[in-house]
Amino acid sequence: MAESEKEAALPPKEEFSEWYNELLWMAEIMDVRYPVKGLYVWYPFGFAIRRNTYKIIREILDNSGHQEALFPLLIPENEFMKEAEHIKGFEDEVYWVTHGGKDPLDIPLALRPTSETAIYPMYKMWVRSHADFPIKIYQIVNTFRYETKHTRPLIRLREITSFKEAHTVHATWEDAEAQVKEAIGLYTEIYRRLGVPVLHSRRPDWDKFPGADYTDALDAIMPDGRTLQIGTVHHLGDNFAKTFDIKYETPDGEQRYAYQTCYGISERSIAATISIHGDDKGLVLPPEIAPVQVVIIPIIFKKGAEEVLAACKDVKERLTKAGIRVEIDASDLRPGAKYYKWEMKGVPLRLEIGPRDLQNNVAVAVRRDTGEKEQIPLPEIETGVSSKFEAIHEHLYQKAKVELENRIFECTELEEVKKKIQDGVATIPWCGKRECGLAMENVIGAGILGIPLEQKRGKKEKCPICGEETETRVYVARTY
Ligand SMILES: Nc1ncnc2c1ncn2[C@@H]1O[C@H](COS(=O)(=O)NC(=O)[C@@H](N)CS)[C@@H](O)[C@H]1O
Ligand SMILES: [Zn+2]
C-alpha cells in the first residue's frame, strides 16, 4: 500500500475501538474491505505475525505429546445432528452447503463451526483399547460461525481463520480432568510467550460449551476494560463418547465409554497481543512474533555515505546469520518518516548507524517499548540485540500484568460492581445457586465471567442476593 494512502492519523489508544480498527489497516495487518460480513483478508505483514504466533502454539503443543492432524471441513447433517446439547448450542450458527453445482445434495453438509462431529465418528473407529490412550490430536483450520452479534476483525469472525482445536481421549473422567489442567497450563505458557497475562476461571453452568461437563476459560482484560475470551478448555465427560459410541476395552476385558476434552485458541490471541501492548504510535510487538525484529536506519550525510551503507549491510548480514529478522531502510524517506513507519509496525528495536557511530564502532539501539536509547558496540551486535529482546519481552509482560491487576476490583455491593465493570473486572461473593447468579446478572446488566480457578478460600461472605454465607467470589465483566 502506498505511503500516501495512509494519510489518516492513528487515533489515541484511549479511543480503543477506533484505534484498533485504524491500526489493523495502518500496520497492514488486515484488510476489512472483503465483501462478506465477518470475513477479512490477512495482509502479508499480518500473516507473518500469525505465522510466528502459531509457531509458538505448535511448539508448545508438539512438545507436550500432542500430534497435529487434519480433518475435513464438511460435516454430514446426520453426524452434526447427533449430540442434542451440541446442536442446541450451534444450530443458529452453522452454515450449510446444500448443492454440488446445480444438483441439490441428498445430505446437506455443515461447514464445521468446531470439529467434534467431524472427528468423533473417526475416533469411534480408531479407539479400541485403553492402550490407545491418551489420544492428543489438534488441528489448525478455518471454522465458520454465523455470528449475529457485532462482527470485528480478529475478535468476532464468521470465518475463524486460525482455529486451533485440540481433541483428546482418555480412559477415565479423572484422566480427562488432568488433561484439562495440563491444557490450562499450556495455554498460560503460550500467552506468557506473547506477554499476555490472563484470568483463569470456570464458566458458570449456563455459559459452558454445548455438550461439556464444564468449561474453564482464559480471559484477557482489554484496554477498554472489557474481557476477551482468548482460550477455552472443555471437559466433555463421556457425553460425546456415548453419542458417537467411542468405547474401549479395559485391562480386564470389559467395554467402557471413553472420556474426552477439547480446547481451542483462535486469532483472538493476536487481537489480545496487539491490543494490550500497542500504544499511540501503533503496534508494540513482542520480539518473538515480530515479522521485522530489527530495522537498521543508515544516517546518511554526503561525506561517508558508502561506509555507512556498507556497515549497515554488514550488520544486517551478521544479525540474519544469528537468526534475527532484520531490514535496512535505505529509502529516501526523512529519518522521522522512517521512525514513524517502523514504530507503527511495532518493530521492537531500531538501530541507527551514522558516520560518528562508525568512528566509535557502535550502533545506537532504540527500544520500541520504552524509547530508551543505548549504544551497542558493533563487535557485540548479535548478543547486544538478543539481550535487548529478552528485556523487551519481560518489560511488556510485567507491564501488562500490573495493568491487569489494576483492573480487578473487589466489591461487596452490586451497585459498586455496576460502576467498576466500566473499568475492568469486578469480584463479588456468590452462593453458587443458579437463580442468584442469573438475578445478579440482570441487576448488574453484565454476565458472570466465571469462578476464579485460583480461588483464595477461607473468608466467609454473604451472597448479595440471598444472603447465604459463601467462601466463593466470582468475576463479573463486560465482555467481547
Ligand atoms: N466468532 C469467533 N471469532 C473468533 N474467535 C472465536 C469465535 N468464537 C470462538 N472463538 C474463540 O475460539 C475459542 C474456542 O471456541 S469454543 O467455542 O469456546 N470451543 C470450541 O469450539 C471447542 N471445540 C474447543 S476447540 C474460544 O475460546 C474463542 O477464543
Ligand atoms: Zn445466593
Side-chain angles (χ1 to χ4, degrees), residues 287 324 349 367 374 376 380-394:
I324 291 165
L349 205 59
R367 281 175 52 164
E374 195 184 340
I376 303 181
E380 298 147 36
I381 197 70
E382 294 90 339
T383 47
V385 163
S386 305
S387 69
K388 286 256 180 264
F389 285 168
E390 277 151 42
I392 291 167
H393 173 264
E394 199 44 38

